[in-house]
Amino acid sequence: ETGWYQGLTFWSPNVNIFRDPRWGRGQETWGEDPYLTGEMGSAFVRGMQGDDPRYLKTAACAKHFAVHSGPEGKRHEFNAVVSARDLHTTYLPAFKKLVMEAKVEAVMGAYNRTNDEACCASQLLLQDILRGEWGFQGHIVSDCWALDDLHQTHGLTADGAESAALAVRRGCNLECGSTFQHLGEALRRGLLDESDIDAAVKQIYATRFKLGMFDPQEQVPYASISEEVINCAAHRQLAYEAAAKSVVLLKNEGDILPLHDLRSMYVIGPTAANAEVLLGNYYGISESLTTLIEGIVAQLPEGVNLEYRPGTLLLHEPKSPSLWTTMAAARSDVVIACMGLSPQMEGEEGDAIESPVNGDRTEIGLPPVQAEYLRLLKVNGCKIVLVLTGGSAIALGDIADIADAIVYVWYPGQEGGRAVADVLFGNVPPSGKLPVTFPKALEDLP
């Protein structure tokens, strides 16, 4: 099969540097540190590609090359002007490590320009650095319809034929899109030679040979992997461990965590029963998704009374505010407030349907409707454990003082509910660390 989301090439990992919390796709990255990003990205690539000396298990792809960190709404026209020092100390180290040490098989060019050159047709990035300095032997792929941007938004070429020819000559082997359909016209117009296309195709076929597509299946060690491994118990356990080890303890006043000696608990908030906050951006679908409320209920000690109410919406004022719930919650020993962000509020261009600017955030605080509800809980005397979901920094302001304890659980995956519950009840420690800076306010950002 050769359709999208099929086959053995994976356009991952995203090793862009997450410098601004407003960027919706920052959740896909490993944060703002080039060293951490390189280490984590390399481990990802080695896991995806396997350790056989002849064959690849799958072909991983380092993206988006380079200096690509939002904003989403401008990515098709933006020119990232970067100093040589910042380019080589911030934006390139992770890519370099993945190419030279992890031997990533593919690199994807970004939509934007970098220092006036389109990233998918850049002499500096693709030829001088990637192929030249780093000796990259794999194939280069464009981001989806990025080659159209060469003539439509960047104004670097006159039409599709010129864009296709420029991209191939600069080293782009494969495109996601339809600009390469003009390569025949480019040949007829003398914009490139057939030998240029031959060179591009050879590198694509080299990857296919490494994937074992042309060899007897008994020679390919990964061809015998059974479908039974998909969502197997070992993999679900690994998803659980990843989620549990990612939980970050931001506050624990009065050692309210781990939860103990409880008679009653009130779980409240718009993310408690929300499966979407498990998934994040670019997700797979599992037959089992454990929400936060399901995980808490499963761990609830015998004899503890639990009530659950949504309480408030993620982003919008409820048409029928349930303010009585704040008084009911106060009668419990502790309130677990499940709040924060969801993938509807931050993500790639076109995916985050609640974003006013094509996927990015315009504010970095907790949504006002959620913050106000937390204030009402505090006014009514509740002890609050705030469980935050999200893929980027949240400026909490006075909410940091209102909550007695705060854990940041990110978008924790299919076993997220079980992992978060184990942290809350003390079965595992909250050992995660923040890979991004949390600004105090939007005004602190450029």
Side-chain angles (χ1 to χ4, degrees):
E1 297 292 341
T2 59
W4 277 14
Y5 312 122
Q6 295 176 327
L8 296 173
T9 56
F10 288 81
W11 290 341
S12 193
N14 183 341
V15 291
N16 292 136
I17 300 302
F18 190 14
R19 278 187 156 176
D20 193 309
R22 291 170 290 196
W23 185 36
R25 296 191 72 178
Q27 60 181 285
E28 301 174 29
T29 76
W30 281 287
E32 66 191 42
D33 180 13
Y35 177 78
L36 176 67
T37 300
E39 291 293 312
M40 299 294 282
S42 293
F44 184 100
V45 168
R46 287 191 292 268
M48 293 293 287
Q49 296 191 167
D51 56 5
D52 188 84
R54 179 180 177 89
Y55 293 103
L56 294 171
K57 182 164 59 175
T58 63
C61 176
K63 67 182 187 183
H64 309 82
F65 194 60
V67 200
H68 181 82
S69 301
E72 285 297 288
K74 298 286 186 182
R75 63 183 185 170
H76 299 284
E77 61 193 75
F78 181 64
N79 182 28
V81 179
V82 61
S83 69
R85 176 175 179 174
D86 207 19
L87 178 66
H88 287 275
T89 61
T90 303
Y91 293 105
L92 294 186
F95 285 100
K96 183 177 182 180
K97 188 176 185 68
L98 266 61
V99 168
M100 299 191 70
E101 296 183 27
K103 306 300 180 183
V104 70
E105 183 63 19
V107 171
M108 177 181 284
Y111 286 115
N112 53 280
R113 281 169 287 152
T114 293
N115 292 347
D116 300 324
E117 285 191 304
C119 294
C120 291
S122 169
Q123 176 68 34
L124 174 65
L125 292 176
L126 305 187
Q127 293 294 334
D128 299 347
I129 295 175
L130 186 58
R131 295 284 189 204
E133 293 180 24
W134 300 348
F136 178 60
Q137 298 297 309
H139 71 267
I140 298 168
V141 58
S142 78
D143 209 335
C144 293
W145 287 276
L147 299 189
D148 284 354
D149 294 342
L150 268 63
H151 54 276
Q152 290 181 354
T153 53
H154 292 311
L156 298 173
T157 55
D159 53 31
E162 287 190 12
S163 295
L166 179 62
V168 169
R169 292 200 315 271
R170 293 285 171 82
C172 184
N173 307 109
L174 180 68
E175 80 151 338
C176 173
S178 55
T179 307
F180 275 4
Q181 70 183 4
H182 298 289
L183 281 172
E185 178 188 349
L187 280 171
R188 290 190 296 272
R189 288 166 55 181
L191 300 174
L192 79 170
D193 297 325
E194 207 163 303
S195 59
D196 296 318
I197 297 177
D198 290 343
V201 170
K202 283 179 182 178
Q203 284 164 322
I204 299 169
Y205 268 83
T207 298
R208 298 186 69 187
F209 279 114
K210 292 177 189 176
L211 289 167
M213 292 182 176
F214 304 102
D215 291 345
Q217 293 298 282
E218 59 270 17
Q219 292 184 16
V220 184
Y222 303 115
S224 60
I225 296 175
S226 168
E227 288 186 18
E228 293 177 358
V229 305
I230 299 172
N231 199 33
C232 65
H235 291 181
R236 290 196 299 271
Q237 179 63 19
L238 187 61
Y240 162 80
E241 290 178 15
K245 291 179 179 179
S246 298
V247 174
V248 183
L249 180 66
L250 297 181
K251 181 183 180 181
N252 192 19
E253 194 170 274
D255 293 331
I256 190 173
L257 292 178
L259 300 171
H260 54 85
D261 300 328
L262 299 176
R263 294 166 301 171
S264 59
M265 174 189 296
Y266 210 98
V267 178
I268 207 159
T271 64
N274 186 338
E276 286 186 343
V277 300
L278 303 176
L279 301 176
N281 203 12
Y282 278 103
Y283 49 80
I285 295 295
S286 169
E287 66 189 31
S288 58
L289 297 169
T290 306
T291 62
L292 299 177
I293 184 65
E294 288 173 320
I296 291 169
V297 168
Q299 291 286 344
L300 197 68
E302 186 177 350
V304 177
N305 181 64
L306 181 144
E307 288 192 57
Y308 160 69
R309 296 288 186 278
T312 183
L313 297 175
L314 268 169
L315 200 56
H316 306 289
E317 291 284 348
K319 293 181 179 179
S320 303
S322 55
L323 300 183
W324 65 270
T325 56
T326 63
M327 293 178 283
R331 294 192 290 269
S332 297
D333 292 335
V334 67
V335 174
I336 309 298
C338 301
M339 299 195 175
L341 309 178
S342 89
Q344 292 186 359
M345 300 159 63
E346 57 176 359
E348 189 173 7
E349 176 191 26
D351 283 345
I353 58 177
E354 291 281 11
S355 166
V357 286
N358 290 339
D360 295 331
R361 291 192 289 159
T362 55
E363 302 290 337
I364 63 170
L366 195 66
V369 66
Q370 296 185 48
E372 185 56 33
Y373 192 83
L374 285 168
R375 295 185 187 104
L376 289 172
L377 288 172
K378 195 65 175 180
V379 166
N380 281 285
C382 296
K383 277 191 173 182
I384 302 170
V385 175
L386 178 58
V387 178
L388 284 175
T389 60
S392 52
I394 300 175
L396 292 174
D398 67 316
I399 302 303
D401 300 320
I402 287 173
D404 297 277
I406 306 172
V407 289
Y408 203 117
V409 304
W410 313 99
Y411 298 131
Q414 69 181 67
E415 296 292 328
R418 183 160 70 99
V420 170
D422 270 342
V423 170
L424 294 178
F425 287 106
N427 298 323
V428 296
S431 59
K433 306 294 187 293
L434 297 179
V436 291
T437 300
F438 273 48
K440 286 190 173 181
L442 185 69
E443 291 72 28
D444 293 330
L445 300 175

